[in-house]
mmCIF file of all heavy atoms in Angstrom:
data_model
loop_
_atom_site.group_PDB
_atom_site.id
_atom_site.type_symbol
_atom_site.label_atom_id
_atom_site.label_comp_id
_atom_site.label_asym_id
_atom_site.label_seq_id
_atom_site.Cartn_x
_atom_site.Cartn_y
_atom_site.Cartn_z
ATOM 1 N N ILE M 150 74.126 -29.332 89.510
ATOM 2 C CA ILE M 150 73.057 -28.373 89.766
ATOM 3 C C ILE M 150 73.038 -27.969 91.234
ATOM 4 O O ILE M 150 72.890 -26.781 91.562
ATOM 5 C CB ILE M 150 71.699 -28.948 89.320
ATOM 6 C CG1 ILE M 150 71.668 -29.027 87.782
ATOM 7 C CG2 ILE M 150 70.553 -28.090 89.814
ATOM 8 C CD1 ILE M 150 70.391 -29.569 87.210
ATOM 9 N N ALA M 151 73.202 -28.934 92.100
ATOM 10 C CA ALA M 151 73.229 -28.615 93.530
ATOM 11 C C ALA M 151 74.308 -27.572 93.826
ATOM 12 O O ALA M 151 74.090 -26.603 94.564
ATOM 13 C CB ALA M 151 73.466 -29.884 94.345
ATOM 14 N N ASP M 152 75.459 -27.760 93.215
ATOM 15 C CA ASP M 152 76.541 -26.793 93.418
ATOM 16 C C ASP M 152 76.145 -25.409 92.926
ATOM 17 O O ASP M 152 76.358 -24.406 93.592
ATOM 18 C CB ASP M 152 77.812 -27.248 92.679
ATOM 19 C CG ASP M 152 78.412 -28.495 93.303
ATOM 20 O OD1 ASP M 152 78.034 -28.820 94.453
ATOM 21 O OD2 ASP M 152 79.226 -29.161 92.638
ATOM 22 N N THR M 153 75.573 -25.384 91.727
ATOM 23 C CA THR M 153 75.168 -24.092 91.172
ATOM 24 C C THR M 153 74.134 -23.415 92.064
ATOM 25 O O THR M 153 74.195 -22.208 92.301
ATOM 26 C CB THR M 153 74.598 -24.282 89.753
ATOM 27 O OG1 THR M 153 75.613 -24.858 88.930
ATOM 28 C CG2 THR M 153 74.151 -22.958 89.165
ATOM 29 N N LEU M 154 73.188 -24.185 92.556
ATOM 30 C CA LEU M 154 72.171 -23.596 93.430
ATOM 31 C C LEU M 154 72.815 -22.952 94.647
ATOM 32 O O LEU M 154 72.523 -21.803 94.996
ATOM 33 C CB LEU M 154 71.162 -24.661 93.873
ATOM 34 C CG LEU M 154 70.303 -25.289 92.772
ATOM 35 C CD1 LEU M 154 69.260 -26.227 93.377
ATOM 36 C CD2 LEU M 154 69.593 -24.211 91.965
ATOM 37 N N ARG M 155 73.698 -23.680 95.249
ATOM 38 C CA ARG M 155 74.344 -23.158 96.456
ATOM 39 C C ARG M 155 75.245 -21.973 96.138
ATOM 40 O O ARG M 155 75.185 -20.932 96.777
ATOM 41 C CB ARG M 155 75.170 -24.271 97.127
ATOM 42 C CG ARG M 155 74.357 -25.062 98.159
ATOM 43 C CD ARG M 155 75.238 -26.043 98.910
ATOM 44 N NE ARG M 155 75.766 -27.062 98.006
ATOM 45 C CZ ARG M 155 75.277 -28.316 97.916
ATOM 46 N NH1 ARG M 155 74.284 -28.703 98.695
ATOM 47 N NH2 ARG M 155 75.803 -29.168 97.061
ATOM 48 N N ASP M 156 76.056 -22.103 95.098
ATOM 49 C CA ASP M 156 77.104 -21.100 94.867
ATOM 50 C C ASP M 156 76.606 -19.871 94.141
ATOM 51 O O ASP M 156 77.050 -18.759 94.416
ATOM 52 C CB ASP M 156 78.254 -21.729 94.064
ATOM 53 C CG ASP M 156 78.871 -22.904 94.797
ATOM 54 O OD1 ASP M 156 78.596 -23.063 96.008
ATOM 55 O OD2 ASP M 156 79.594 -23.684 94.155
ATOM 56 N N GLU M 157 75.711 -20.072 93.183
ATOM 57 C CA GLU M 157 75.323 -18.935 92.341
ATOM 58 C C GLU M 157 73.970 -18.359 92.731
ATOM 59 O O GLU M 157 73.652 -17.230 92.384
ATOM 60 C CB GLU M 157 75.292 -19.367 90.872
ATOM 61 C CG GLU M 157 76.554 -20.052 90.379
ATOM 62 C CD GLU M 157 77.722 -19.072 90.292
ATOM 63 O OE1 GLU M 157 77.475 -17.889 90.031
ATOM 64 O OE2 GLU M 157 78.883 -19.511 90.534
ATOM 65 N N TRP M 158 73.148 -19.170 93.347
ATOM 66 C CA TRP M 158 71.795 -18.715 93.693
ATOM 67 C C TRP M 158 71.608 -18.523 95.200
ATOM 68 O O TRP M 158 70.561 -18.042 95.634
ATOM 69 C CB TRP M 158 70.751 -19.734 93.203
ATOM 70 C CG TRP M 158 70.582 -19.804 91.722
ATOM 71 C CD1 TRP M 158 71.386 -20.457 90.844
ATOM 72 C CD2 TRP M 158 69.547 -19.212 90.945
ATOM 73 N NE1 TRP M 158 70.920 -20.314 89.561
ATOM 74 C CE2 TRP M 158 69.777 -19.547 89.596
ATOM 75 C CE3 TRP M 158 68.430 -18.429 91.237
ATOM 76 C CZ2 TRP M 158 68.947 -19.133 88.546
ATOM 77 C CZ3 TRP M 158 67.596 -18.016 90.208
ATOM 78 C CH2 TRP M 158 67.861 -18.357 88.867
ATOM 79 N N ALA M 159 72.601 -18.975 95.971
ATOM 80 C CA ALA M 159 72.465 -18.927 97.429
ATOM 81 C C ALA M 159 71.189 -19.628 97.882
ATOM 82 O O ALA M 159 70.443 -19.137 98.743
ATOM 83 C CB ALA M 159 72.517 -17.483 97.938
ATOM 84 N N VAL M 160 70.936 -20.760 97.262
ATOM 85 C CA VAL M 160 69.734 -21.530 97.559
ATOM 86 C C VAL M 160 70.163 -22.925 97.979
ATOM 87 O O VAL M 160 71.085 -23.505 97.391
ATOM 88 C CB VAL M 160 68.838 -21.599 96.301
ATOM 89 C CG1 VAL M 160 67.909 -22.809 96.339
ATOM 90 C CG2 VAL M 160 68.027 -20.322 96.143
ATOM 91 N N GLN M 161 69.536 -23.452 99.013
ATOM 92 C CA GLN M 161 69.799 -24.831 99.398
ATOM 93 C C GLN M 161 68.984 -25.761 98.502
ATOM 94 O O GLN M 161 67.762 -25.627 98.417
ATOM 95 C CB GLN M 161 69.411 -25.076 100.876
ATOM 96 C CG GLN M 161 70.356 -24.411 101.853
ATOM 97 C CD GLN M 161 71.808 -24.802 101.592
ATOM 98 O OE1 GLN M 161 72.137 -25.986 101.406
ATOM 99 N NE2 GLN M 161 72.694 -23.807 101.537
#
Side-chain angles (χ1 to χ4, degrees):
Chain M
I150 290 180
D152 292 344
T153 300
L154 295 185
R155 270 186 295 258
D156 300 346
E157 308 291 329
W158 290 80
V160 156
Q161 288 306 313

